[in-house]
Amino acid sequence: MKDLQVRIDNIKEKIARAATQSGRLPSDILLVAVSKTVDIDVVEAAYKLGIGNFGENRVQELRMKVHHLPGARWHMIGRLQTNKVKDVVGQVCLIHSLDRWNLAKEINKRGRLLQTKVPVLLQVNIAGEEQKAGVNPDDIEHFLASAGELEQISIQGFMTMAPLVDEPEETRPVFKELYQIWTRLRRRSLPNTDLRYLSMGMSQDYEIAIQEGANIVRIGSAIFHGEN
């Protein structure tokens, strides 16, 4: 697992450099290792090397890994079907992919049943890509206002995915736009909303995302496969 250690150290160095460039401390940035399709033994090795947060996008795989490694903090980062909400709420520390109102209602319903407040991020489709989920930027304020009636949900920030491009620098406007929206709306006092997190950036563009204000990055291939 020596190569895994080297990759993790390299990513942490780049995160620290990007954080410094944006006037923050490395500790201000949360690294979520995207462990989807990664063998549980490799995930456990990463955990022993100091990675504490992992992200999954398939419910069945998530539940298996939570059972095997309950000491880690687990994140649901993939699109969540309403009929799978019951299998996720209570298993993860944060759902990154709240992308539609009926899902919000289902999460709230499950939270009420379990008598727990469910932390979520509102997924925003900044780039307007038809193939990607997420709330339209123009609809964010209305969504947050309506979420006041969902007492078992805590909207703790925003998540977005930039388009896949040849040059990471091309993603900068996407991250910059969501940061501006996040900064503006953080000043509002809205029920069931505490916009502390901005989840932006993956293996190919996380340094740009951090420079533009992300405080959560989701990195998979660069950790587990050595790919950028």
Side-chain angles (χ1 to χ4, degrees):
M1 294 298 173
K2 183 179 178 181
D3 288 347
L4 182 60
Q5 176 75 78
V6 169
R7 291 196 293 268
I8 290 172
D9 289 345
N10 181 53
I11 288 165
K12 287 183 175 180
E13 286 178 13
K14 291 180 177 179
I15 287 174
R17 185 167 60 243
T20 300
Q21 289 170 343
S22 65
R24 291 175 294 165
L25 299 172
S27 57
D28 293 334
I29 314 302
L30 176 64
L31 168 60
V32 175
V34 178
S35 50
K36 62 181 184 180
T37 73
V38 177
D39 187 84
I40 188 61
D41 292 339
V42 180
V43 176
E44 187 171 8
Y47 179 68
K48 290 178 179 177
L49 291 172
I51 299 293
N53 289 266
F54 296 91
E56 290 286 334
N57 70 340
R58 294 184 184 277
V59 173
Q60 186 174 356
E61 189 175 355
L62 167 71
R63 288 176 62 84
M64 179 272 291
K65 288 176 178 173
V66 169
H67 177 76
H68 187 88
L69 204 60
R73 289 172 58 82
W74 293 93
H75 300 244
M76 180 64 190
I77 62 172
R79 193 154 202 259
L80 182 57
Q81 301 299 325
T82 53
N83 65 342
K84 298 291 185 181
V85 166
K86 65 183 184 299
D87 298 317
V88 172
V89 172
Q91 299 292 314
V92 299
C93 64
L94 187 61
I95 296 171
H96 290 233
S97 49
L98 172 59
D99 60 357
R100 58 202 188 278
W101 184 248
N102 66 327
L103 177 60
K105 290 196 295 184
E106 192 64 31
I107 293 172
N108 186 68
K109 178 181 174 183
R110 188 64 180 176
R112 189 186 305 120
L113 183 67
L114 298 180
Q115 296 186 316
T116 187
K117 195 94 165 177
V118 186
V120 300
L121 301 181
L122 184 62
Q123 182 172 346
V124 182
N125 190 350
I126 288 288
E129 295 180 279
E130 290 185 8
Q131 73 273 27
K132 285 184 180 173
V135 174
N136 185 294
D138 293 335
D139 297 331
I140 294 174
E141 291 189 57
H142 177 71
F143 196 106
L144 295 182
S146 299
E149 68 187 62
L150 304 178
E151 295 182 353
Q152 298 306 128
I153 281 184
S154 173
I155 298 181
Q156 298 198 344
F158 302 139
M159 182 272 270
T160 197
M161 291 183 287
L164 288 174
V165 292
D166 293 332
E167 292 295 330
E169 185 63 34
E170 295 176 35
T171 63
R172 192 178 295 277
V174 170
F175 300 139
K176 188 187 294 286
E177 182 178 345
L178 188 56
Y179 175 77
Q180 290 171 345
I181 295 170
W182 178 71
T183 302
R184 175 170 54 84
L185 293 177
R186 287 184 79 190
R187 303 189 188 106
R188 305 277 184 88
S189 179
L190 294 164
N192 306 323
T193 299
D194 176 15
L195 301 180
R196 65 181 72 178
Y197 295 125
L198 194 56
S199 178
M200 309 189 298
M202 298 187 289
S203 289
Q204 68 275 12
D205 53 24
Y206 67 92
E207 291 174 89
I208 303 289
I210 293 170
Q211 290 167 10
E212 294 300 333
N215 56 20
I216 299 179
V217 290
R218 310 175 307 276
I219 303 176
S221 58
I223 291 176
F224 295 110
H225 308 295
E227 302 170 3
N228 290 325

